[in-house]
Structure formats: C-alpha cells, structure tokens
Amino acid sequence: MKLLTRSRGPQLSDRLVWQAASLLLAYPDEQLEERLETVETLLTHIDGTAAGLLARTLAAVRAADPLTAATEYVETFDMQRRSTMYLTYWTAGDTRNRGREMLAFATAYREAGVTPPTSEAPDHLPVVLEFAARVDPEMGRRLMIEHRVPIDVLLQALTKAGSPYAHVVAAVCETLPPVTDQEVARARRLAESGPPAEAVGLQPFTLTVPPKPTGGN
C-alpha cells in the first residue's frame, strides 16, 4: 500500500498527524529511535497547534532512557484503567458487547481492503490512527469521531496524570470536530464511574507500530 497518498476527504496534513501520533503512541521497543526519526521527518510537513503538541511528546520520549520509557508506558496505559487506548473499553467495558464493537472496527478494515492486524486489537488507538493515515482516511476519521468520547476520556486522564502522552492525544483531537457539551459531560461521567462491566478475538494489515509485549517488561 502507498504511504500517505493524497485522496478525497481528510487533508493530507491530518493524515500526517495521525501517522506521527500512531508512532509516538507505540510501545517504546528497540525500534523506538527509528520511529522517532520518522516522526521528526513528518513534523517538517506539519504546522499549527498539532505540530507543537507532537513535538512536545517527541522531546519527552526521546529524553527518557529506554528502560524508563518502557516502564512509564506500561504504567500509563496498562496499569491505569482510565488511560487505556482500547476505545471500545469505554463504550462496552468487559461485556459481550465489546466483541461486537471490536468486530465493527475489523469489518471497517476489511471493507477498506486490508486484514485487521493479528498482533493487536482493532480498536487500539495507534492501530486506528495508522489505518486512518495509511489506508482509509475517511473511515478512519469516522471511527475516531464515533469514539470521540473515549478519546476525550483518555486525554483527560493523561492530562491529569501530567503524562507527556497527553500532548499527542491532544494533537489527534485537533484533527477532529470540537467536542460538544454533551460529549464533555459524558466523558466526565465515564471517567468518574468507569465503563460497563460483565465478564470476551480477532485476527493482518501490516503495522509499522509494534504491539505491546505480552509478557513482563
């Protein structure tokens, strides 16, 4: 597939933001430096508020030593329920409905002509961002707009924690329509009460961002 080809719909600048954000939100493994160099290159073609926000996350991740970066990533996104990047967690929680909602993401990928990745859930924000940047910007934007409240919950949690990753999520929000008062209120309620509860699989378009390791760090 061609990388970031111009098409109708979302502007190329939005797609550049989404690709940079996907790379910055990936688990900081041994390819981290290579991804950061790619983000630096992308930033030469991005301007405005989003560029400044992405640059702040880039600087913070680059300044941390690899072990610290990996540890803080896991503590931020895996140990804190409110800062999960699995978007359907906030709309379906650990219920049977979540499988159906994840299937909607996988179906969108297949309809765009690619196979969902086997190494990561289809609703994981970096996966959605890369799909939007590289495969189908219109559908990718639609998926993010439909899950704008979970993205806003994530942004609130990262901001409250003082995480450098808050800036990259804020950059993504710059490419989406402004949140409504109703969405703000819903995000606040979700952050306070948590997702639905109950006691859920999929299968690859080839990702340039790595999945998180399944074992210990």
Side-chain angles (χ1 to χ4, degrees):
M1 71 186 68
K2 294 183 179 179
L3 177 64
L4 301 180
T5 51
R6 186 180 293 276
S7 69
R8 295 177 300 162
Q11 297 180 351
L12 180 61
S13 59
D14 289 348
R15 299 175 70 182
L16 292 169
V17 170
W18 296 336
Q19 182 68 79
S22 179
L23 295 170
L24 287 171
L25 288 171
Y27 176 79
D29 63 2
E30 61 276 4
Q31 273 80 52
L32 175 62
E33 185 57 36
E34 180 181 346
R35 290 198 302 275
L36 296 183
E37 289 176 1
T38 300
V39 172
E40 281 189 340
T41 300
L42 292 171
L43 281 174
T44 64
H45 303 285
I46 302 172
D47 52 26
T49 302
L53 291 166
L54 291 168
R56 292 179 69 179
T57 300
L58 172 64
V61 174
R62 172 158 277 158
D65 68 82
L67 180 58
T68 300
T71 300
E72 290 183 349
Y73 183 97
V74 171
E75 289 177 347
T76 298
F77 296 114
D78 295 343
M79 303 300 184
Q80 303 297 323
R81 182 182 67 174
R82 284 174 172 76
S83 53
T84 181
M85 287 195 285
Y86 294 101
L87 300 181
T88 63
Y89 177 77
W90 288 107
T91 55
D94 292 322
T95 71
R96 285 183 287 268
N97 289 336
R98 189 176 176 199
R100 182 168 61 246
E101 292 192 15
M102 285 197 291
L103 180 61
F105 280 84
T107 299
Y109 299 160
R110 292 191 178 98
E111 289 179 349
V114 294
T115 304
T118 59
S119 55
E120 186 56 272
D123 65 328
H124 195 234
L125 182 56
V127 174
V128 181
L129 287 165
E130 183 152 341
F131 171 78
R134 300 182 62 196
V135 181
D136 189 331
E138 293 183 358
M139 176 56 72
R141 183 194 288 277
R142 191 179 313 159
L143 288 170
M144 286 187 280
I145 290 174
E146 289 174 354
H147 293 81
R148 180 58 191 271
V149 170
I151 293 173
D152 203 48
V153 172
L154 171 62
L155 176 58
Q156 289 180 29
L158 294 174
T159 301
K160 184 176 181 180
S163 170
Y165 289 106
H167 309 306
V168 64
V169 177
V172 171
C173 291
E174 287 290 319
T175 69
L176 304 176
V179 291
T180 64
D181 291 343
Q182 184 178 20
E183 287 172 329
V184 170
R186 185 180 169 209
R188 185 178 299 115
R189 288 196 302 271
L190 278 174
E192 292 172 351
S193 63
E198 178 191 289
V200 212
L202 272 170
Q203 78 166 132
F205 71 79
T206 301
L207 292 170
T208 59
V209 299
K212 296 190 303 301
T214 55
N217 293 287

